[in-house]
């Protein structure tokens, strides 16, 4: 069915409520003249709007079914699993952590590439051909796959003939993570960086000019003074060395050592370094943050605005598919269609929840909703409404006489009492002291059993008092945390003591796990203090966005690790503690004799496998001793190896870490300042009207308006009193998706009535090239 | 005259245009029935509004005259000079850089204290007595003066009897900088910090909890493994040591050394440190920045809002004093009164400038202005209007035939040509290469003369082409910069070569100055590149606010330096390069034998005098090697000395540096986003209407809207063409005061018609306790 056919149906036939239109489709299940295909199409639009997918799919029923399959979570997970497998190949390829023969890694890589190809072909079937070839991310994936194949061929043949060969295509692998359909956030982050680059470049050039000027001044001031560094070398008499030293000073890694010879010679020379640090370390680094932050915010804002527009487009299209004409009110969607749609979009939604959402949309109880109310659906579905079922305790059902007896009631009252929480906080603190003491002491070792018993007792008492399904509901993070930690600690402690008593053998690993679990248990104290809970909730909320940066970091680290491994593998060797090899003193490389690198015992910081590389890159990100680490690698190769390390510093520390800080700042400000959206207030009001709300005692004046801190108080709300069987509350501030947080950041700037009509929709904008609207029905 | 008298006049007499009211005042020079005292009073209000002074003075003529004297710039400078002298006493007091006898320093301090007392008494005369005793800053100064006197007495008598004595009151000295009347910005910064403290505290407690938890885990994981650090010590087996080490890791100062023993033992242990760094170094430190930034912004916003309200109050009061009733329009101020007022407020304003301001206020040319227009006056005066006088070149006047001859015109055209600038940029680059080369080479040494000659020639040519007074006008920063640098370099080079040729003696200091001047000359290149100029202009604009932070840093450093000197003076000694003292290897303290501190040759980083202390504190602020520096001082005293260093880190790095970053970020965002104010557009429009504007070719698309970058192009505008003799342009974005920048930051939130009527003015708010409005006439 062509687009124009589609348009005809929605525009002409739908208003007439014509029934039984088959028109070549599966018309078996019709509702108000809509076929199942119509509902499928609308559901796809709504679901795309909900998850901000901007894929321009064919609207034929077959393409929609293929598209639904394409978006299926199993397939998405499979793709990610194969990307991870592809990336993880670095562990097994030379230089390997666990060496595998070349044919094995090649085979795995071929399988991965095959999966990516199949996924791409699937995608090509879903969207129109000309769209497919216009989309740069598809081209990217095709190029990566082809280059990988070429590289494998070259590498294999060179290796077979005994030549030296480099697996250069490994650098491309992390780009798959960026170009895969689901990598929207990551692509957006990269686009933001790319857009900010020109401005960063100008500041960077000015900054480098400043460093070069100061270096020239340093050369003239200190070069002829005959000063020596702490290890006896000449001080500041080579221009390029000075530039490097002063660049390192910007990272603060060689402060104050680089200044000491001059300072020892005269106090006035310290002024030079103070001015340098003030200008280059403090002011320029702050300016970098300001420029990165400002650009990031600006472009992100624009992109999110486009995203919100696209979302509304899709909802309007879904409306166009399902609309009917009813009376004088213009096109509407009936409750029956709406119910059918919501059931398709979110099969696991409870009836009560769905009815609640409907009552919010259809505020005046007309049985049908117009476009404005319909468009809210995506946002309504994204709002996390927690359905609280008020059920009696199972024990009350099975043994009512016992459970309702006065001792039992006393226990329940006791457990619910504030003192119960305080008592266990005290126990945790005592436990902390015991953990700190020597565990060889038998008294202490036995005390551990007592503590475990107490914690178990606490959980059992709570389960006795509170309804177990409510206690272990999805949102009760701390209950889950407690139970998992206590039970794992119990199991690990039992295994440990069994091992000990049976053979006198203590497994170091199990003991370590026991220790970690014991200490983790102490975290519970934080949960008792409301203000801490509020801070932690904010941190948890920015978690998903930190994950996007995790991916960004992985991509950048992976590329640098691959290059670093090719450049530096095997140059520095690590000898473990038992080794008596004389080469141990200089990391197996005579060029490192008496070097600071060897003196600091940094031999394990090498590029000999992908794990060490990642840890080394992390150390370089932390920056301290950056110059000592890089000096080791320049010593064993060539002074130009510094380029690699400086480049890493610029990319990771100046750009990516600043974007990370910018994102945390922005996320915190959103948590501080953004009020509830209108829609959310509507939903809350409705819940209150229906008297289905859970009483929330807001904790005002905390770090953030601690909307959610009573999530974990749920278990303590008295469930035995007469209340509606079903209650709702909004986990208002916890948006499901990263996009949700981003949209909330900028939604204040968006007009809720702005439906992004065609006139202000720019198809030339690359950010929405995957979502134009050829068959958009302006109603 | 009492407040109620004043009210009577402004409310009743003024509207009737009653003439010759003497009422006990000096009525010699009246204008429209206003006495000179009225004008004085109004001028004081306007000037207070202009500079945001919130002093509640008596409105009697005598008090006003005293108040004018109090605000006189000479007295203000004298007070600051004595504060600096008081602070500088630390250089001469034990432990001294330049020792002076106790009687001398005591005498100087007594003089300083006397000056502060006189200033305070003067202040007490200006404001009503009950106000004086309510103001905490006056109480502070009195307490500081009294405590200083007590301390001097105790110290003197103890010293005289040979006992050990501590000059503890020296810690209080920098507080004078905060509590002096002019220290508004500094007080505001301190108030912002104080207000943000509770929230910072909660995050800090959570952060410390996290550090303690990780330390406990580290103790259990690594304590019994028998690992050793690089220098052979036991690794992670003492809880408090672990806490300290992990705290240091947050500052990144001991990364990756603290991790290496565990990492060498097993790769998995690196995971512990990675998680630690991620949570505590990256996330918590970002959260600190977010909390500090957010609170700072929030409270500052509130304070600046109060400030703007107070400014409008004062302007309304000034209006009340000068108002007359004219026709049906309600109270107005006539042009004559207005002129008189402006002349009093800003005696150096040119007539043309004043008329321009009047034409902006009185847009419809009525000869009088109402309240709304009058209130703008303070902002109008704050706007920097540059008056450009279009004058012919003096040579044209003296030697018209020569100056207007065709060779002369050719020179002028040449100098104005773009290539002239490029040619000199090229010369500068060549010069840079020559500077980098060895100056012992006679060719290079002589080339320097050639370069100096070229630069001089450039300045002379420019002076020949452009009008000298325009070339050296107040706003032509780069012209001044060039000339000063070239001329000083010339003088220094001549002195140097005279010294050299006369006695063969080369003064190292003069040579150093010559080198610095030569390199500074190269900065000129930056000015040729527009984008760089834009960035630098932004940096220059945030300069004044950086100065406020400079004061903040001085206050905090001074306090820590005083305490540090009492705690650590003489414990670590520095031996210069020639010294062969065996104690040199351990900084004169056997406790430092084989310590890292001595190995790094950090002996000069000590608290033996105030200059070393400040440099050491700066090194501690940069944080790198923080643990090595502090370890030296704990080694020579006690492990509890760490408290001093940790406290310094928390105060300076976590709080103050974050506020600094917050301020730079905010200032940059303002530069990025704030458009011109309405008033400014009015002024610009008026200048354009009158055809008095200087053609400005805006450089759009730079880092910031580069309004001012053509400041330095002024000289190149062709002044010989027929143009009005007088032109204006607005140095729009360069606000005179820090307050101006702050107000611009937040002015978007303020309604221009909001006159801060009494009802929403909270006299209980401590931030405006010095400015209530008892006789505010609501018109």
């Amino acid at each position: 069915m062509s687009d124009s056919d589609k348009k005809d149906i929605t525009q002409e036939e739908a208003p007439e409520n014509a029934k039984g239109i088959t028109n070549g489709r599966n018309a078996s299940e019709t509702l108000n003249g809509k076929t199942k295909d119509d509902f499928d199409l609308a559901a796809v639009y709504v679901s795309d709007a909900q998850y901000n997918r901007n894929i321009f799919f064919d609207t034929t029923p077959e393409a929609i079914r293929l598209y639904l399959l394409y978006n299926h979570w199993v397939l998405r997970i499979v793709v990610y699993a194969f990307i991870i497998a592809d990336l993880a190949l670095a562990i097994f390829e030379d230089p390997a952590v666990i060496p595998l023969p070349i044919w094995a890694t090649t085979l795995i890589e071929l399988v991965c590439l095959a999966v990516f190809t199949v996924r791409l072909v699937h995608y090509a079937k879903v969207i129109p051909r000309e769209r497919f070839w216009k989309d740069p991310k598809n081209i990217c994936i095709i190029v990566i796959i082809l280059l990988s194949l070429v590289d494998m061929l070259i590498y294999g043949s060179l290796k077979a003939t005994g030549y030296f060969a480099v697996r250069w295509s490994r650098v491309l692998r992390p780009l798959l993570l960026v170009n895969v359909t689901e990598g929207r956030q990551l692509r957006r982050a990269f686009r933001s960086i790319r857009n900010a680059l020109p401005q960063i470049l100008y500041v960077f050039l000015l900054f480098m000019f400043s460093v070069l000027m100061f270096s020239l001044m340093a050369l003239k001031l200190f070069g002829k003074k005959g000063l020596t560094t702490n290890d006896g070398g000449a001080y500041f008499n080579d221009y390029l060395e000075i530039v490097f030293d002063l660049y390192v000073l910007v990272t603060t890694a060689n402060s104050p050592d680089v200044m000491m010879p001059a300072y020892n010679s005269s106090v006035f020379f310290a002024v030079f370094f103070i001015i340098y640090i003030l200008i280059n370390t403090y002011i320029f680094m702050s300016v970098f943050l300001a420029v990165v932050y400002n650009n990031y915010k600006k472009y992100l804002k624009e992109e999110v605005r486009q995203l919100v527009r696209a979302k509304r487009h899709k909802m309007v299209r879904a409306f166009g598919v399902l609309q009917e004409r009813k009376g004088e009110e213009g096109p509407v969607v009936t409750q029956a269609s709406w119910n059918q749609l919501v059931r398709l979009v979110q099969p696991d939604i409870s009836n009560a929840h769905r009815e609640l959402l409907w009552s919010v949309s259809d505020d005046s109880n007309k049985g049908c909703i117009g476009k404005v109310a319909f468009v809210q659906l995506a946002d309504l579905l994204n709002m996390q409404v927690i359905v609280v079922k008020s059920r009696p305790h199972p024990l009350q059902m099975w043994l009512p006489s016992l459970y309702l007896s006065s001792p039992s009631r006393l226990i329940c009252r006791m457990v619910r009492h504030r003192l119960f929480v305080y008592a266990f906080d005290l126990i945790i603190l005592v436990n902390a002291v015991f953990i700190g003491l020597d565990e060889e002491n038998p008294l202490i070792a036995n005390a551990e059993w007592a503590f475990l018993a107490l914690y178990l007792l606490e959980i059992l008492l709570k389960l006795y008092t509170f309804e177990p399904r409510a206690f272990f509901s999805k949102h009760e993070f701390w209950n889950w945390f407690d139970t998992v930690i206590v039970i794992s600690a119990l199991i690990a402690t039992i295994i440990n003591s069994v091992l000990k008593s049976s053979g006198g053998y203590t497994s170091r690993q199990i003991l370590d796990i026991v220790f970690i679990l014991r200490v983790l248990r102490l975290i519970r104290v934080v949960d008792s203090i409301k203000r801490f809970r509020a801070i932690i909730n904010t941190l948890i909320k920015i978690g998903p966005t930190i994950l996007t940066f995790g991916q960004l970091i992985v991509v950048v680290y992976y590329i640098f690790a691959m290059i670093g491994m090719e450049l530096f593998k095997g140059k520095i060797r690590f000898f473990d503690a038992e080794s008596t090899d004389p080469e141990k003193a200089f990391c197996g490389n005579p060029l490192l004799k008496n070097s600071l690198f060897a003196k600091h015992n940094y031999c394990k910081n090498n590029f000999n496998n992908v794990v060490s590389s990642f840890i080394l890159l992390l150390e370089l990100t932390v920056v301290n001793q950056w110059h000592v680490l890089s000096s080791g690698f320049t010593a064993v190769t060539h002074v130009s190896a510094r380029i690699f390390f400086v480049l890493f510093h610029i990319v990771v520390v100046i750009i990516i870490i600043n974007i990370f800080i910018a994102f945390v700042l922005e996320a915190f400000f959103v948590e501080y300042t953004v009020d509830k959206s209108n829609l959310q207030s509507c939903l809350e009001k409705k819940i209150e009207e229906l008297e289905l709300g859970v009483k929330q005692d807001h904790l005002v004046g905390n770090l953030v308006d601690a909307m959610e801190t009573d999530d974990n108080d749920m278990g303590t709300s008295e469930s035995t009193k007469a209340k509606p069987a079903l209650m709702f509350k909004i986990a208002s501030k916890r948006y499901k998706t990263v996009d949700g947080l981003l949209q909330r950041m900028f939604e204040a700037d968006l007009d809720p009535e702005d439906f992004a009509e065609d006139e202000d929709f720019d198809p030339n904008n690359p950010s929405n090239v995957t979502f134009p609207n050829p068959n958009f029905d302006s109603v």
Side-chain angles (χ1 to χ4, degrees), chain A:
Chain A
M1 202 173 102
S2 74
D3 281 354
S4 56
D5 283 344
K6 187 80 224 66
K7 197 167 180 177
D8 287 344
I9 288 170
T10 51
Q11 274 198 332
E12 293 164 24
E13 292 167 325
E16 285 144 28
N17 267 340
K19 297 212 170 194
I21 313 150
T22 52
N23 210 358
R25 305 186 192 191
N26 168 15
S28 55
E29 297 170 66
T30 60
L31 179 74
N32 297 341
K34 306 292 169 197
T35 63
K36 189 179 175 308
D37 289 336
D38 283 335
F39 281 106
D40 279 346
L41 180 60
V44 168
Y45 279 137
V46 173
S47 150
D48 277 7
Q50 195 185 347
Y51 298 110
N52 282 313
R53 278 194 290 266
N54 282 343
I55 296 166
F56 179 85
F57 51 88
D58 264 335
T59 49
T60 59
E62 296 72 38
I64 291 170
R65 268 185 282 278
L66 265 177
Y67 182 56
L68 281 172
L69 183 67
Y70 185 80
N71 281 334
H72 197 280
W73 62 271
V74 171
L75 286 190
R76 291 216 307 268
I77 285 177
V78 166
V79 168
Y80 268 102
F82 276 96
I83 290 177
I84 290 168
D86 195 31
L87 292 178
L89 278 178
I91 299 172
F92 308 106
E93 289 167 340
D94 180 59
V97 183
I98 305 156
L100 281 187
I102 289 179
W103 63 262
T105 57
T106 311
L107 196 69
I108 299 171
E109 186 156 14
L110 279 174
V111 172
C112 290
L113 293 180
V115 169
F116 303 144
T117 313
V118 168
R119 179 79 174 165
L120 202 66
V121 169
H122 188 168
Y123 187 65
K125 295 256 179 223
V126 168
I127 72 168
R129 178 152 307 181
E130 70 279 11
R131 296 252 146 228
F132 180 83
W133 292 108
K134 266 188 203 160
D135 191 341
K137 66 172 183 287
N138 300 327
I139 311 293
C140 257
I141 293 180
I142 292 171
V143 169
I144 292 169
I145 291 173
L146 290 178
L147 285 180
S148 299
L149 288 172
V150 169
D151 183 34
M152 281 155 78
L153 264 175
I154 297 173
Y155 184 79
S157 46
L158 279 176
K159 276 281 157 186
T161 51
Y163 284 100
F164 172 78
V166 172
R167 275 304 311 274
W168 47 266
S169 73
R170 302 202 294 173
V171 169
L172 302 172
R173 281 181 197 160
L175 297 180
L176 284 168
L177 207 56
V178 183
N179 287 300
V180 82
T181 326
E182 288 75 21
R184 276 186 305 279
Q185 269 92 36
L186 197 54
R187 274 198 296 282
R188 202 179 302 146
F190 269 104
R191 260 202 305 272
S192 294
I193 293 173
R194 200 186 55 203
N195 288 329
L197 273 187
Q199 302 229 333
I200 294 171
L201 184 71
Y202 286 113
V203 178
F204 186 77
L205 287 178
L206 193 59
F207 159 71
M208 277 316 297
F209 178 78
S210 158
V211 172
L212 292 175
M213 289 276 301
F214 272 100
S215 303
L216 194 55
M217 222 180 270
L219 178 68
K220 302 316 281 183
L221 282 181
F222 309 124
K224 293 285 167 97
K225 294 254 186 339
L227 302 174
T228 55
T229 58
N230 203 19
D231 51 7
Y235 179 71
F236 271 14
N237 68 345
D238 176 70
Y239 186 64
L240 288 178
E241 286 296 320
I242 297 174
V243 171
F244 184 73
D245 280 343
L246 289 186
Y247 185 86
V248 174
L249 183 55
V250 169
T251 71
T252 77
N254 59 359
S255 157
D257 304 80
V258 73
M259 159 178 141
M260 288 318 290
Y263 180 35
N264 285 338
S265 139
S266 163
V267 174
F268 295 103
F269 289 137
V271 175
F272 173 83
F273 290 95
I274 290 172
I275 293 174
Y276 181 84
I277 288 172
L278 191 71
I279 292 180
N280 289 300
T281 307
Y282 285 106
I283 296 182
F284 265 110
M285 290 298 129
S286 301
V287 171
F288 274 121
L289 178 59
V291 170
V292 168
Y293 186 11
N294 189 61
N295 277 280
Y296 178 73
K297 210 162 66 171
K298 196 171 74 187
Y299 289 107
L300 201 63
K301 205 164 175 168
E302 195 41 53
E303 293 224 345
V304 172
R305 188 175 289 137
Q306 301 273 4
L307 213 62
V308 173
R309 289 228 170 121
K311 180 170 79 180
R312 287 189 181 155
H313 266 285
K314 278 172 268 180
M315 290 308 294
V316 169
R317 271 198 238 177
F319 183 77
V321 172
L322 295 184
Q323 69 186 3
E324 298 162 37
R325 198 162 296 278
K326 212 173 189 179
E328 296 299 292
E329 298 172 34
V332 293
V333 167
T334 60
Q335 187 171 6
S337 306
W338 192 89
N339 278 340
Q340 173 81 357
L341 177 68
V342 172
R343 244 172 285 163
L344 272 174
V345 175
Q346 210 143 308
D348 57 340
I349 198 168
S350 73
N351 282 339
H353 183 177
R354 205 184 58 231
E355 275 159 29
L356 176 73
L357 295 187
W358 173 259
S359 69
V360 172
S361 298
D362 180 25
D363 199 34
S364 47
N365 244 320
K366 286 186 292 186
C368 56
I369 50 173
K371 195 162 84 170
V372 175
F374 183 83
V375 165
Q376 295 176 343
L377 176 60
D379 292 328
L380 275 176
L381 287 175
N382 268 342
M383 238 170 253
Q384 259 194 327
V385 176
I386 300 170
V387 181
V388 184
K389 287 196 185 114
S390 169
R391 280 178 292 212
H393 198 283
L395 281 176
Q396 196 180 343
M397 316 252 279
W398 303 332
L399 299 163
S401 59
L402 186 69
Y403 192 74
L404 297 173
S405 65
S406 55
S408 162
R409 277 168 185 269
L410 185 70
I411 291 171
C412 291
R413 246 204 322 278
M414 200 185 75
V415 172
R416 284 203 189 95
H417 203 276
R418 206 91 200 97
L419 281 179
F420 184 78
V421 178
Y422 292 153
F424 270 93
D425 284 351
L426 190 72
I427 290 171
I428 289 173
L429 289 178
V430 174
N431 191 358
V433 175
F434 271 76
I435 292 173
L437 297 175
D438 189 4
E439 77 268 11
E440 300 294 313
N441 187 328
L443 181 76
I444 309 269
N446 290 331
E448 180 54 28
W449 290 105
F451 282 116
L452 271 176
L454 279 171
Y455 293 132
L456 266 182
L457 180 70
E458 187 198 7
I459 292 172
L460 289 176
L461 279 175
K462 281 189 173 170
L463 279 176
Y464 182 81
T465 310
F466 306 115
E467 212 280 316
R469 277 161 296 184
F471 188 76
F472 286 125
S473 78
K474 223 167 71 185
H475 302 280
E476 302 294 336
F477 171 74
W478 286 107
N479 292 343
W480 279 102
F481 178 83
D482 272 9
T483 314
V484 169
I485 292 283
V486 168
I487 298 208
S488 347
L490 187 69
I491 294 169
T493 311
I494 289 171
I495 293 176
N496 187 43
S497 59
V498 165
L499 281 176
K500 213 173 183 176
S501 61
S502 66
Y505 161 80
T506 310
S507 161
R508 201 65 228 181
Q509 274 74 34
I510 289 180
L511 209 58
D512 284 347
I513 291 168
V514 169
F515 286 144
I516 291 172
L517 288 170
R518 274 186 208 166
V519 176
L520 282 179
R521 226 157 45 195
L522 306 183
I523 293 180
R524 259 259 323 255
V525 171
V526 171
D527 183 46
S528 308
I529 300 162
K530 280 178 185 176
R531 285 176 188 274
F532 285 178
R533 212 151 61 186
I535 300 170
I536 286 184
N537 279 328
T538 309
L539 288 178
I540 290 173
K541 263 171 259 166
I542 62 176
T545 55
I546 289 176
L547 277 188
T548 300
F549 281 95
Q551 287 184 305
L552 192 66
I553 284 282
V554 166
V555 170
V556 176
Y557 270 33
Y558 200 92
I559 292 172
F560 275 98
M562 290 301 131
I563 298 171
M565 275 156 64
E566 292 300 342
L567 293 176
F568 307 115
K569 69 181 169 198
K571 297 267 203 287
I572 289 173
R573 273 154 55 212
F574 171 67
F575 299 84
D576 59 21
E578 284 77 42
S579 165
T580 52
D581 197 313
E583 292 199 327
K584 192 182 169 187
F586 44 86
C587 304
N589 195 323
L591 290 167
L592 286 175
K593 259 178 192 164
N594 295 321
S595 69
L596 268 179
F597 188 89
K599 272 183 201 157
H600 274 88
N601 200 8
Y602 285 166
C603 309
K604 200 160 183 176
N605 294 319
N606 55 42
F607 280 104
N608 293 355
N609 64 55
V610 70
V611 175
S612 322
S613 304
F614 266 67
I615 292 174
L616 174 55
L617 291 177
L618 182 92
E619 290 170 10
L620 292 174
T621 306
V622 175
V623 169
N624 199 58
Q625 300 289 23
W626 179 85
H627 58 308
V628 175
L629 290 168
S630 64
S631 74
F633 291 96
T634 49
V636 297
T637 52
H638 184 256
V639 75
S640 59
R642 276 177 184 171
I643 297 168
F644 175 84
F645 294 95
V646 170
L647 206 66
F648 181 81
H649 180 260
I650 294 170
V651 171
V652 173
V653 180
I654 294 188
I655 300 178
I656 293 182
I657 293 295
N658 274 337
I659 285 198
F660 173 80
I661 295 173
F663 204 93
V664 172
L665 285 182
E666 194 66 20
F668 252 77
F669 295 160
V670 170
E671 286 295 326
Y672 274 119
T673 54
V674 169
D675 298 321
K676 292 172 210 171
S677 69
N678 271 336
L679 200 58
Q680 206 175 302
S681 326
C682 281
L683 191 56
E684 272 182 3
K685 225 178 72 190
K686 186 58 77 176
I687 292 175
E688 229 160 77
E689 264 175 35
L690 300 172
E691 293 183 344
L692 292 173
V694 172
K695 198 175 67 66
Q696 303 199 347
D697 40 337
H698 289 249
L699 310 158
V700 184
N702 284 2
L703 178 77
V704 290
D705 177 13
M707 268 301 291
E708 288 194 290
T709 46
D710 38 6
D711 265 24
N712 47 347
D713 287 344
M714 274 310 302
T716 54
S717 69
E718 306 196 7
S719 53
T720 47
K721 278 189 187 169
K723 280 197 299 181
L726 209 63
M727 300 181 89
F728 298 103
K729 67 186 190 118
I730 304 179
S732 58
K733 295 221 167 175
R734 189 184 288 159
Y735 272 62
K736 273 180 184 165
T737 56
V738 182
D739 287 327
L741 182 66
L742 290 178
Q743 285 171 41
R744 219 170 108 235
M745 276 187 187
F746 303 120
E747 74 188 352
D749 301 322
L750 290 164
D751 177 15
E753 300 291 316
D754 173 14
F755 285 118
E757 305 296 344
D758 282 358
E759 54 272 24
D760 58 357
F761 197 79
D762 178 13
N764 297 324
N765 191 314
S767 68
N768 56 6
V769 81
T770 53
F771 192 81
N773 47 342
N775 64 343
F776 166 59
D777 305 320
S778 191
V779 187

